Amino acid sequence: NVSVTHDEAYLYVKLRGEALQKGVARILIDTIPNQGNTTAASLPNVTMTNEAEFVIELKQNGQSRATIDPYYDFYNYLYAVQQNPPLIANKMPKPLKNNGQFTAIEFVLNKQLTIPATGDVIPYSAYETGAMTKGNGNPEADDYNSMTDYSWHDDTIEVRIPWQTLQARDPSQREFIGDVYKDGYDASEKVEEIYIGAAFLNEAGDVVDTFPA
């Protein structure tokens, strides 16, 4: 069972299923056409009907994250491809659509800086913005955590995903980053709809259910 809603800041997804009591879950998101992957290493023996740009990997122990197709990863494009010299190692030296890979979503905190007066060097640093915090997002709860990205209770998961994580340029206009390797830094695409699926896996990592089936 999957239900979806949204507001100006977040996409909200709710999953419910018996397999979630002991297993793990994956949310598959296809935001723009003609890009993304139909396979993923975290989903063995599964072929997606839509090409997903994002896989949200959810675990009960809190080690959860949003991952991205490296072809669509604007962070990698900006700092490994466009930046000269590159600030980071290129996750995809040869750009390839439908490559079957998904990688961490990161954001630069600061570039390397040298303080002229002292010569001290502040190194480049980045943060995994796709890392997800498990908690309770109910403001009336005693254990409320405003930084909660998802909650997991028995057979139910509730997730909120910032539109920025999904590389939306302007959610109010349904505008997302487009194909930067084809159209460059300013590439954008307006969409009429996005596609969302889910997969439930057991403790052994085998897919036991999918939605749509």
Side-chain angles (χ1 to χ4, degrees):
N1 181 288
V2 179
S3 56
V4 180
T5 188
H6 66 89
D7 59 22
E8 69 279 4
Y10 296 95
L11 174 69
Y12 301 91
V13 183
K14 184 176 183 178
L15 307 179
R16 179 175 292 156
E18 184 177 344
L20 296 178
Q21 293 183 359
K22 293 185 178 180
V24 299
R26 304 283 184 264
I27 299 173
L28 320 171
I29 303 176
D30 173 18
T31 52
I32 65 173
N34 303 316
Q35 283 189 205
N37 293 322
T38 55
T39 60
S42 63
L43 290 170
N45 304 315
V46 170
T47 300
M48 304 175 225
T49 54
N50 284 77
E51 295 173 320
E53 287 78 35
F54 302 90
V55 172
I56 314 300
E57 302 177 351
L58 297 167
K59 301 179 182 180
Q60 293 198 50
N61 62 12
Q63 297 177 356
S64 301
R65 58 167 41 93
T67 62
I68 188 171
D69 170 10
Y71 183 92
Y72 190 52
D73 186 355
F74 189 70
Y75 165 85
N76 185 71
Y77 172 79
L78 186 59
Y79 294 107
V81 178
Q82 291 293 95
Q83 188 79 27
N84 188 19
L87 285 179
I88 61 172
N90 195 339
K91 299 177 183 179
M92 180 166 286
K94 183 179 180 180
L96 178 66
K97 290 186 177 182
N98 203 6
N99 54 77
Q101 301 177 47
F102 287 90
T103 61
I105 298 175
E106 298 177 291
F107 188 80
V108 171
L109 294 178
N110 61 264
K111 297 181 181 180
Q112 180 172 301
L113 300 172
T114 300
I115 301 175
T118 64
D120 291 340
V121 176
I122 300 175
Y124 161 89
S125 62
Y127 175 73
E128 186 181 351
T129 52
M132 306 188 79
T133 300
K134 180 183 177 183
N136 190 335
N138 181 357
E140 298 181 0
D142 292 337
D143 59 346
Y144 168 64
N145 181 355
S146 63
M147 301 300 290
T148 293
D149 296 303
Y150 75 104
S151 62
W152 192 317
H153 299 287
D154 298 324
D155 65 350
T156 303
I157 306 174
E158 295 180 273
V159 188
R160 65 175 187 178
I161 308 164
W163 286 115
Q164 187 175 15
T165 298
L166 301 178
Q167 298 199 156
R169 289 191 182 276
D170 185 348
S172 68
Q173 298 297 315
R174 304 187 300 276
E175 180 184 5
F176 289 81
I177 290 175
D179 188 338
V180 292
Y181 288 98
K182 177 184 176 184
D183 299 321
Y185 176 88
D186 294 322
S188 69
E189 186 153 354
K190 291 186 177 181
V191 302
E192 292 300 320
E193 55 194 353
I194 64 176
Y195 297 88
I196 298 173
F200 299 162
L201 293 77
N202 62 20
E203 293 174 284
D206 300 318
V207 176
V208 295
D209 199 7
T210 61
F211 181 88

mmCIF file of all heavy atoms in Angstrom, residues 166-196:
data_model
loop_
_atom_site.group_PDB
_atom_site.id
_atom_site.type_symbol
_atom_site.label_atom_id
_atom_site.label_comp_id
_atom_site.label_asym_id
_atom_site.label_seq_id
_atom_site.Cartn_x
_atom_site.Cartn_y
_atom_site.Cartn_z
ATOM 1 N N LEU A 166 15.356 16.259 -4.692
ATOM 2 C CA LEU A 166 14.957 15.686 -5.973
ATOM 3 C C LEU A 166 15.323 16.588 -7.148
ATOM 4 O O LEU A 166 14.837 16.399 -8.261
ATOM 5 C CB LEU A 166 13.455 15.396 -5.979
ATOM 6 C CG LEU A 166 12.973 14.429 -4.885
ATOM 7 C CD1 LEU A 166 11.469 14.255 -4.955
ATOM 8 C CD2 LEU A 166 13.671 13.091 -4.989
ATOM 9 N N GLN A 167 16.186 17.572 -6.891
ATOM 10 C CA GLN A 167 16.719 18.481 -7.907
ATOM 11 C C GLN A 167 15.636 19.294 -8.617
ATOM 12 O O GLN A 167 15.705 19.565 -9.817
ATOM 13 C CB GLN A 167 17.605 17.733 -8.909
ATOM 14 C CG GLN A 167 18.812 17.097 -8.262
ATOM 15 C CD GLN A 167 19.950 16.733 -9.221
ATOM 16 O OE1 GLN A 167 21.094 16.641 -8.803
ATOM 17 N NE2 GLN A 167 19.648 16.526 -10.499
ATOM 18 N N ALA A 168 14.637 19.701 -7.837
ATOM 19 C CA ALA A 168 13.628 20.609 -8.372
ATOM 20 C C ALA A 168 14.197 22.028 -8.395
ATOM 21 O O ALA A 168 14.745 22.499 -7.401
ATOM 22 C CB ALA A 168 12.362 20.567 -7.527
ATOM 23 N N ARG A 169 14.090 22.690 -9.518
ATOM 24 C CA ARG A 169 14.500 24.098 -9.607
ATOM 25 C C ARG A 169 13.407 24.996 -9.043
ATOM 26 O O ARG A 169 13.684 25.946 -8.312
ATOM 27 C CB ARG A 169 14.793 24.474 -11.059
ATOM 28 C CG ARG A 169 16.070 23.864 -11.637
ATOM 29 C CD ARG A 169 16.400 24.507 -12.970
ATOM 30 N NE ARG A 169 17.584 23.941 -13.604
ATOM 31 C CZ ARG A 169 18.834 24.319 -13.340
ATOM 32 N NH1 ARG A 169 19.057 25.259 -12.445
ATOM 33 N NH2 ARG A 169 19.845 23.760 -13.973
ATOM 34 N N ASP A 170 12.158 24.711 -9.376
ATOM 35 C CA ASP A 170 11.028 25.507 -8.898
ATOM 36 C C ASP A 170 9.824 24.583 -8.769
ATOM 37 O O ASP A 170 9.117 24.346 -9.752
ATOM 38 C CB ASP A 170 10.731 26.644 -9.872
ATOM 39 C CG ASP A 170 9.633 27.579 -9.376
ATOM 40 O OD1 ASP A 170 8.952 27.218 -8.388
ATOM 41 O OD2 ASP A 170 9.448 28.650 -9.969
ATOM 42 N N PRO A 171 9.589 24.033 -7.567
ATOM 43 C CA PRO A 171 8.469 23.094 -7.405
ATOM 44 C C PRO A 171 7.123 23.694 -7.788
ATOM 45 O O PRO A 171 6.252 22.984 -8.300
ATOM 46 C CB PRO A 171 8.519 22.755 -5.912
ATOM 47 C CG PRO A 171 9.914 23.054 -5.487
ATOM 48 C CD PRO A 171 10.363 24.213 -6.335
ATOM 49 N N SER A 172 6.942 25.000 -7.563
ATOM 50 C CA SER A 172 5.654 25.619 -7.864
ATOM 51 C C SER A 172 5.352 25.615 -9.355
ATOM 52 O O SER A 172 4.191 25.672 -9.766
ATOM 53 C CB SER A 172 5.616 27.057 -7.338
ATOM 54 O OG SER A 172 6.509 27.894 -8.072
ATOM 55 N N GLN A 173 6.407 25.527 -10.172
ATOM 56 C CA GLN A 173 6.240 25.484 -11.628
ATOM 57 C C GLN A 173 6.485 24.079 -12.185
ATOM 58 O O GLN A 173 6.540 23.896 -13.401
ATOM 59 C CB GLN A 173 7.214 26.466 -12.290
ATOM 60 C CG GLN A 173 6.996 27.914 -11.906
ATOM 61 C CD GLN A 173 5.641 28.411 -12.337
ATOM 62 O OE1 GLN A 173 5.191 28.174 -13.453
ATOM 63 N NE2 GLN A 173 4.963 29.122 -11.418
ATOM 64 N N ARG A 174 6.670 23.098 -11.275
ATOM 65 C CA ARG A 174 6.976 21.718 -11.667
ATOM 66 C C ARG A 174 8.232 21.662 -12.545
ATOM 67 O O ARG A 174 8.312 20.888 -13.490
ATOM 68 C CB ARG A 174 5.784 21.074 -12.384
ATOM 69 C CG ARG A 174 4.495 21.100 -11.577
ATOM 70 C CD ARG A 174 3.390 20.310 -12.241
ATOM 71 N NE ARG A 174 3.065 20.811 -13.570
ATOM 72 C CZ ARG A 174 2.237 21.814 -13.813
ATOM 73 N NH1 ARG A 174 1.631 22.430 -12.809
ATOM 74 N NH2 ARG A 174 1.997 22.198 -15.036
ATOM 75 N N GLU A 175 9.216 22.486 -12.188
ATOM 76 C CA GLU A 175 10.441 22.592 -12.976
ATOM 77 C C GLU A 175 11.597 21.887 -12.263
ATOM 78 O O GLU A 175 11.868 22.154 -11.087
ATOM 79 C CB GLU A 175 10.801 24.061 -13.196
ATOM 80 C CG GLU A 175 12.069 24.261 -14.018
ATOM 81 C CD GLU A 175 12.463 25.720 -14.159
ATOM 82 O OE1 GLU A 175 11.790 26.572 -13.524
ATOM 83 O OE2 GLU A 175 13.434 26.002 -14.877
ATOM 84 N N PHE A 176 12.259 20.997 -12.995
ATOM 85 C CA PHE A 176 13.378 20.238 -12.455
ATOM 86 C C PHE A 176 14.627 20.476 -13.302
ATOM 87 O O PHE A 176 14.547 20.936 -14.445
ATOM 88 C CB PHE A 176 13.059 18.735 -12.468
ATOM 89 C CG PHE A 176 12.016 18.327 -11.468
ATOM 90 C CD1 PHE A 176 10.663 18.503 -11.735
ATOM 91 C CD2 PHE A 176 12.377 17.774 -10.257
ATOM 92 C CE1 PHE A 176 9.702 18.136 -10.818
ATOM 93 C CE2 PHE A 176 11.423 17.403 -9.329
ATOM 94 C CZ PHE A 176 10.082 17.584 -9.611
ATOM 95 N N ILE A 177 15.795 20.193 -12.708
ATOM 96 C CA ILE A 177 17.029 20.193 -13.495
ATOM 97 C C ILE A 177 16.861 19.192 -14.635
ATOM 98 O O ILE A 177 16.327 18.094 -14.441
ATOM 99 C CB ILE A 177 18.232 19.822 -12.611
ATOM 100 C CG1 ILE A 177 18.538 20.967 -11.627
ATOM 101 C CG2 ILE A 177 19.468 19.512 -13.450
ATOM 102 C CD1 ILE A 177 19.626 20.648 -10.620
ATOM 103 N N GLY A 178 17.330 19.569 -15.822
ATOM 104 C CA GLY A 178 17.186 18.717 -17.000
ATOM 105 C C GLY A 178 18.438 17.904 -17.273
ATOM 106 O O GLY A 178 19.187 17.543 -16.364
ATOM 107 N N ASP A 179 18.679 17.627 -18.539
ATOM 108 C CA ASP A 179 19.836 16.832 -18.968
ATOM 109 C C ASP A 179 21.032 17.764 -19.126
ATOM 110 O O ASP A 179 21.220 18.386 -20.170
ATOM 111 C CB ASP A 179 19.518 16.121 -20.282
ATOM 112 C CG ASP A 179 20.600 15.134 -20.695
ATOM 113 O OD1 ASP A 179 21.754 15.275 -20.231
ATOM 114 O OD2 ASP A 179 20.302 14.227 -21.494
ATOM 115 N N VAL A 180 21.853 17.848 -18.080
ATOM 116 C CA VAL A 180 22.966 18.803 -18.098
ATOM 117 C C VAL A 180 24.058 18.400 -19.091
ATOM 118 O O VAL A 180 24.766 19.257 -19.623
ATOM 119 C CB VAL A 180 23.576 18.980 -16.690
ATOM 120 C CG1 VAL A 180 22.590 19.679 -15.765
ATOM 121 C CG2 VAL A 180 24.024 17.655 -16.108
ATOM 122 N N TYR A 181 24.212 17.115 -19.349
ATOM 123 C CA TYR A 181 25.233 16.685 -20.306
ATOM 124 C C TYR A 181 24.832 17.037 -21.735
ATOM 125 O O TYR A 181 25.687 17.197 -22.610
ATOM 126 C CB TYR A 181 25.490 15.190 -20.176
ATOM 127 C CG TYR A 181 26.229 14.839 -18.911
ATOM 128 C CD1 TYR A 181 25.545 14.376 -17.788
ATOM 129 C CD2 TYR A 181 27.608 15.006 -18.806
ATOM 130 C CE1 TYR A 181 26.216 14.076 -16.619
ATOM 131 C CE2 TYR A 181 28.282 14.714 -17.629
ATOM 132 C CZ TYR A 181 27.579 14.249 -16.546
ATOM 133 O OH TYR A 181 28.246 13.963 -15.376
ATOM 134 N N LYS A 182 23.552 17.191 -21.960
ATOM 135 C CA LYS A 182 23.056 17.570 -23.285
ATOM 136 C C LYS A 182 22.886 19.076 -23.406
ATOM 137 O O LYS A 182 23.288 19.680 -24.413
ATOM 138 C CB LYS A 182 21.712 16.879 -23.554
ATOM 139 C CG LYS A 182 21.074 17.262 -24.877
ATOM 140 C CD LYS A 182 19.703 16.606 -25.016
ATOM 141 C CE LYS A 182 18.999 17.057 -26.284
ATOM 142 N NZ LYS A 182 17.631 16.491 -26.389
ATOM 143 N N ASP A 183 22.311 19.715 -22.377
ATOM 144 C CA ASP A 183 21.909 21.123 -22.476
ATOM 145 C C ASP A 183 22.689 22.056 -21.562
ATOM 146 O O ASP A 183 22.416 23.256 -21.539
ATOM 147 C CB ASP A 183 20.410 21.252 -22.175
ATOM 148 C CG ASP A 183 19.563 20.458 -23.162
ATOM 149 O OD1 ASP A 183 19.910 20.449 -24.357
ATOM 150 O OD2 ASP A 183 18.575 19.828 -22.732
ATOM 151 N N GLY A 184 23.643 21.536 -20.795
ATOM 152 C CA GLY A 184 24.497 22.393 -20.006
ATOM 153 C C GLY A 184 23.948 22.757 -18.640
ATOM 154 O O GLY A 184 22.904 22.272 -18.201
ATOM 155 N N TYR A 185 24.690 23.646 -17.985
ATOM 156 C CA TYR A 185 24.446 24.030 -16.589
ATOM 157 C C TYR A 185 23.007 24.459 -16.332
ATOM 158 O O TYR A 185 22.428 24.145 -15.296
ATOM 159 C CB TYR A 185 25.403 25.160 -16.238
ATOM 160 C CG TYR A 185 25.241 25.751 -14.863
ATOM 161 C CD1 TYR A 185 25.921 25.209 -13.773
ATOM 162 C CD2 TYR A 185 24.416 26.861 -14.645
ATOM 163 C CE1 TYR A 185 25.785 25.742 -12.497
ATOM 164 C CE2 TYR A 185 24.263 27.403 -13.378
ATOM 165 C CZ TYR A 185 24.948 26.838 -12.315
ATOM 166 O OH TYR A 185 24.806 27.370 -11.055
ATOM 167 N N ASP A 186 22.395 25.203 -17.255
ATOM 168 C CA ASP A 186 21.059 25.751 -17.037
ATOM 169 C C ASP A 186 19.934 24.818 -17.478
ATOM 170 O O ASP A 186 18.770 25.233 -17.518
ATOM 171 C CB ASP A 186 20.919 27.081 -17.779
ATOM 172 C CG ASP A 186 21.826 28.167 -17.200
ATOM 173 O OD1 ASP A 186 21.975 28.199 -15.969
ATOM 174 O OD2 ASP A 186 22.388 28.961 -17.984
ATOM 175 N N ALA A 187 20.262 23.588 -17.815
ATOM 176 C CA ALA A 187 19.243 22.653 -18.297
ATOM 177 C C ALA A 187 18.084 22.542 -17.318
ATOM 178 O O ALA A 187 18.280 22.394 -16.111
ATOM 179 C CB ALA A 187 19.870 21.280 -18.528
ATOM 180 N N SER A 188 16.874 22.646 -17.837
ATOM 181 C CA SER A 188 15.692 22.507 -16.987
ATOM 182 C C SER A 188 14.573 21.859 -17.784
ATOM 183 O O SER A 188 14.567 21.898 -19.020
ATOM 184 C CB SER A 188 15.235 23.862 -16.434
ATOM 185 O OG SER A 188 14.714 24.674 -17.463
ATOM 186 N N GLU A 189 13.649 21.283 -17.055
ATOM 187 C CA GLU A 189 12.519 20.625 -17.715
ATOM 188 C C GLU A 189 11.301 20.728 -16.820
ATOM 189 O O GLU A 189 11.372 20.464 -15.613
ATOM 190 C CB GLU A 189 12.852 19.163 -17.999
ATOM 191 C CG GLU A 189 11.792 18.463 -18.807
ATOM 192 C CD GLU A 189 12.344 17.300 -19.630
ATOM 193 O OE1 GLU A 189 13.572 17.114 -19.649
ATOM 194 O OE2 GLU A 189 11.535 16.588 -20.246
ATOM 195 N N LYS A 190 10.184 21.143 -17.417
ATOM 196 C CA LYS A 190 8.928 21.176 -16.690
ATOM 197 C C LYS A 190 8.166 19.884 -16.958
ATOM 198 O O LYS A 190 8.118 19.403 -18.085
ATOM 199 C CB LYS A 190 8.095 22.390 -17.104
ATOM 200 C CG LYS A 190 8.697 23.713 -16.651
ATOM 201 C CD LYS A 190 7.778 24.890 -16.942
ATOM 202 C CE LYS A 190 8.371 26.194 -16.412
ATOM 203 N NZ LYS A 190 7.471 27.356 -16.665
ATOM 204 N N VAL A 191 7.594 19.331 -15.891
ATOM 205 C CA VAL A 191 6.919 18.044 -16.011
ATOM 206 C C VAL A 191 5.460 18.174 -15.605
ATOM 207 O O VAL A 191 5.084 19.059 -14.825
ATOM 208 C CB VAL A 191 7.617 16.977 -15.140
ATOM 209 C CG1 VAL A 191 9.084 16.841 -15.539
ATOM 210 C CG2 VAL A 191 7.506 17.296 -13.657
ATOM 211 N N GLU A 192 4.650 17.297 -16.150
ATOM 212 C CA GLU A 192 3.236 17.266 -15.794
ATOM 213 C C GLU A 192 2.970 16.304 -14.639
ATOM 214 O O GLU A 192 1.985 16.443 -13.915
ATOM 215 C CB GLU A 192 2.400 16.857 -17.013
ATOM 216 C CG GLU A 192 2.395 17.900 -18.132
ATOM 217 C CD GLU A 192 1.837 19.232 -17.666
ATOM 218 O OE1 GLU A 192 0.837 19.243 -16.904
ATOM 219 O OE2 GLU A 192 2.402 20.277 -18.048
ATOM 220 N N GLU A 193 3.862 15.325 -14.476
ATOM 221 C CA GLU A 193 3.671 14.336 -13.427
ATOM 222 C C GLU A 193 4.996 13.652 -13.121
ATOM 223 O O GLU A 193 5.931 13.707 -13.925
ATOM 224 C CB GLU A 193 2.637 13.291 -13.847
ATOM 225 C CG GLU A 193 2.987 12.620 -15.161
ATOM 226 C CD GLU A 193 1.830 11.844 -15.754
ATOM 227 O OE1 GLU A 193 0.785 11.718 -15.075
ATOM 228 O OE2 GLU A 193 1.960 11.368 -16.885
ATOM 229 N N ILE A 194 5.086 13.069 -11.948
ATOM 230 C CA ILE A 194 6.225 12.228 -11.620
ATOM 231 C C ILE A 194 5.678 10.844 -11.255
ATOM 232 O O ILE A 194 4.497 10.700 -10.915
ATOM 233 C CB ILE A 194 7.081 12.801 -10.476
ATOM 234 C CG1 ILE A 194 6.295 12.858 -9.172
ATOM 235 C CG2 ILE A 194 7.611 14.173 -10.842
ATOM 236 C CD1 ILE A 194 7.130 13.324 -7.996
ATOM 237 N N TYR A 195 6.546 9.851 -11.354
ATOM 238 C CA TYR A 195 6.127 8.472 -11.117
ATOM 239 C C TYR A 195 6.836 7.931 -9.874
ATOM 240 O O TYR A 195 8.039 8.140 -9.703
ATOM 241 C CB TYR A 195 6.452 7.604 -12.336
ATOM 242 C CG TYR A 195 5.716 8.013 -13.578
ATOM 243 C CD1 TYR A 195 6.245 8.979 -14.433
ATOM 244 C CD2 TYR A 195 4.475 7.454 -13.900
ATOM 245 C CE1 TYR A 195 5.563 9.383 -15.575
ATOM 246 C CE2 TYR A 195 3.790 7.845 -15.042
ATOM 247 C CZ TYR A 195 4.335 8.809 -15.874
ATOM 248 O OH TYR A 195 3.667 9.210 -17.003
ATOM 249 N N ILE A 196 6.075 7.250 -9.044
ATOM 250 C CA ILE A 196 6.608 6.732 -7.788
ATOM 251 C C ILE A 196 6.227 5.265 -7.635
ATOM 252 O O ILE A 196 5.081 4.880 -7.867
ATOM 253 C CB ILE A 196 6.073 7.536 -6.593
ATOM 254 C CG1 ILE A 196 6.523 8.996 -6.693
ATOM 255 C CG2 ILE A 196 6.529 6.930 -5.271
ATOM 256 C CD1 ILE A 196 5.905 9.905 -5.660
#
